[in-house]
Amino acid sequence: MNPQHILEYFVNRRDTTVDLIREVVDIESPSYDVERSRKAVDWIESKTLEISDNFETERIFAEGFGDHLIIRAFSESELKPLFILGHSDTVHPVGAINQNPTRIEDGKLFGCGTFDMKANIVVLLEVFRMFTKYGLTPKRPINVLISCDEEVGSDTGRKYVEDEGKKAECCFVLEPSASGKVKTGRKGTGSYVLKTHGIPSHAGLDPKKGASAILEISRQIEKLHSLTDFETGTTVSVGMIKGGTAMNVIPAEAECSIDVRFESLDEANRIERELNSLEPFDERVSVELIGAVNRPPMERTDGVVKLFETARAIARTFDYDLEETQVGGASDGNFVGALGVPVLDGLGIAGDGAHTLEEYVFVDDIPNRAALLAKMLLEV
């Protein structure tokens, strides 16, 4: 099929695709909610198996999270497979759907988890449906992983991401696309907690006997922020602090959360060295660091650039302008990129509002992203 015919197919399927998106978005599936997570995966699995009896599915239970879902399709070829990544969990608590109901307004499809990233799972299924309808077979087998804990660090999903990634020729990530741009680079992330342990005393009667954990952590916070280097793309940010027990007590305990972002492993190692060498300003107070690098950076390698150029050339065949960007947020694609496998991220529908109650995708972009993904799967 030529690109225009593929695009026309998805234009004609647009309203049906919207209805399917509504269905899965209305199944709320926040991270850590096992029962609701499994209901969302039930829906995805059932829709997958409706498309073809030749598709294989495997569910992997993740304690405290729900089910990861693996889909294997078009397995006849002996070439290395394409690996597609997505996730079924959202950041929105149960009931958020009442504040951001699934609806269309001004050409935007709103709903909790629509943009990030349930609509894009439906797009993949629609591509599979088209392949089956017209007897089209991708050159490579396609392995899909829909994880259930991506939004909270992929503690259980990472193993399966890496296991599947090691087998792959390349990886496509169905994360959302801000302004329609695909992601050719993502920063790595580190998450830490710094605790300070001081000496309590009465703030009025014996202030000199105390050693303030809050004063110590305030000094440490200033030092932490000084580690930021915008020229290298490294940021160190304290997002939450807490401490103390009462207004009239010199505080014995305090802690803060530390978010670290970096574009290279060299920078990750530099920040880790700095954090692990923190010393107290007040020798009566001790400091304790907990945490580690969570996701390595997804670097813009030659292989990634080649994938993007292929995608951009395909998009041009149906007059769709595709651009690239590098972002600070991380995804499971970071784990695959660290294996040396080329990753093209942000292949989802254009929209905005990730992690907010104003989350949406553009309805008119659904056929474009479906046609782009279809041609990529057929040609790469």
Side-chain angles (χ1 to χ4, degrees):
M1 292 176 70
N2 69 47
Q4 289 297 334
H5 288 158
I6 289 176
L7 179 62
E8 183 179 350
Y9 170 86
F10 290 116
V11 169
N12 292 334
R13 288 280 301 179
R14 189 185 66 179
D15 291 347
T16 301
T17 305
V18 167
D19 290 341
L20 291 169
I21 292 170
R22 284 177 181 270
E23 285 185 27
V24 71
V25 169
D26 285 346
I27 304 171
E28 295 182 283
S29 54
S31 307
Y32 303 114
D33 192 320
V34 174
E35 181 180 354
R36 287 181 172 84
S37 169
R38 300 189 84 180
K39 286 181 179 179
V41 173
D42 285 344
W43 187 94
I44 297 167
E45 184 178 35
S46 67
K47 296 300 180 185
T48 300
L49 296 177
E50 283 176 11
I51 295 170
S52 173
D53 293 336
N54 293 325
F55 294 170
E56 297 178 11
T57 61
E58 177 187 359
R59 294 174 70 146
I60 303 165
F61 180 65
E63 185 76 34
F65 297 98
D67 285 355
H68 304 301
L69 177 65
I70 295 175
I71 303 168
R72 303 194 191 280
F74 309 104
S75 302
E76 297 82 4
S77 171
E78 295 184 2
L79 294 175
K80 291 181 70 174
L82 297 177
F83 181 33
I84 298 179
L85 266 174
H87 62 88
S88 58
D89 61 324
T90 77
V91 302
H92 303 287
V94 174
I97 193 172
N98 298 318
Q99 298 169 273
N100 182 23
T102 312
R103 68 202 186 278
I104 294 177
E105 292 179 1
D106 300 324
K108 300 172 182 176
L109 176 57
F110 287 86
C112 295
T114 304
F115 180 58
D116 189 10
M117 54 147 299
K118 288 182 174 178
N120 305 318
I121 296 173
V122 175
V123 166
L124 174 64
L125 296 181
E126 284 296 288
V127 169
F128 283 175
R129 191 185 309 278
M130 188 205 74
F131 288 171
T132 302
K133 177 180 175 64
Y134 291 106
L136 301 175
T137 303
K139 289 193 302 185
R140 299 177 181 276
I142 297 175
N143 295 335
V144 182
L145 172 63
I146 308 295
S147 66
C148 63
D149 65 351
E150 192 273 348
E151 293 289 8
V152 288
S154 302
D155 286 347
T156 68
R158 178 174 181 172
K159 174 186 184 312
Y160 306 105
V161 172
E162 293 178 335
D163 285 350
E164 295 298 324
K166 290 173 185 175
K167 308 171 189 173
E169 176 70 15
C170 59
C171 176
F172 298 155
V173 185
L174 299 181
E175 287 285 356
S177 166
S179 304
K181 297 178 180 179
V182 295
K183 300 175 177 73
T184 53
R186 284 185 179 271
K187 289 185 179 182
T189 61
S191 298
Y192 301 85
V193 173
L194 180 67
K195 297 184 177 184
T196 53
H197 307 283
I199 301 171
S201 68
H202 194 291
L205 298 178
D206 298 304
K208 289 184 179 180
K209 290 185 179 180
S212 173
I214 287 180
L215 176 59
E216 177 65 38
I217 209 159
S218 68
R219 291 169 169 168
Q220 295 290 347
I221 288 171
E222 188 170 13
K223 181 173 183 179
L224 290 170
H225 277 265
S226 74
L227 300 177
T228 291
D229 185 343
F230 290 116
E231 289 188 5
T232 63
T234 300
T235 57
V236 180
S237 175
V238 171
M240 296 183 293
I241 58 173
K242 63 180 180 180
T245 54
M247 184 174 67
N248 62 349
V249 177
I250 302 297
E253 304 291 337
E255 66 179 64
C256 67
S257 67
I258 308 168
D259 178 274
V260 179
R261 309 278 167 152
F262 44 85
E263 293 183 359
S264 70
L265 287 176
D266 285 345
E267 275 297 284
N269 293 333
R270 177 182 76 86
I271 295 300
E272 281 228 304
R273 288 194 300 271
E274 293 281 2
L275 294 179
N276 286 315
S277 64
L278 290 174
E279 296 287 344
F281 289 84
D282 184 337
E283 62 183 15
R284 299 173 299 166
V285 180
S286 63
V287 297
E288 176 187 5
L289 182 72
I290 302 168
V293 169
N294 174 258
R295 285 186 171 96
M298 191 188 94
E299 300 188 45
R300 188 179 183 272
T301 64
D302 290 344
V304 172
V305 172
K306 182 179 179 181
L307 268 185
F308 168 68
E309 293 297 342
T310 298
R312 183 162 63 174
I314 288 172
R316 285 173 178 159
T317 63
F318 54 93
D319 300 320
Y320 186 54
D321 186 25
L322 191 67
E323 298 181 25
E324 65 172 311
T325 187
Q326 291 84 48
V327 298
S331 81
D332 281 348
N334 290 52
F335 296 132
V336 181
L339 300 172
V341 176
V343 177
L344 196 59
D345 204 332
L347 282 167
I349 307 162
D352 208 347
H355 296 191
T356 76
L357 291 174
E358 295 298 322
E359 184 176 357
Y360 66 85
V361 295
F362 289 107
V363 173
D364 284 346
D365 195 48
I366 293 172
N368 294 322
R369 302 309 268 208
L372 174 63
L373 181 61
K375 287 292 288 181
M376 290 287 288
L377 296 184
L378 288 170
E379 295 188 10
V380 172

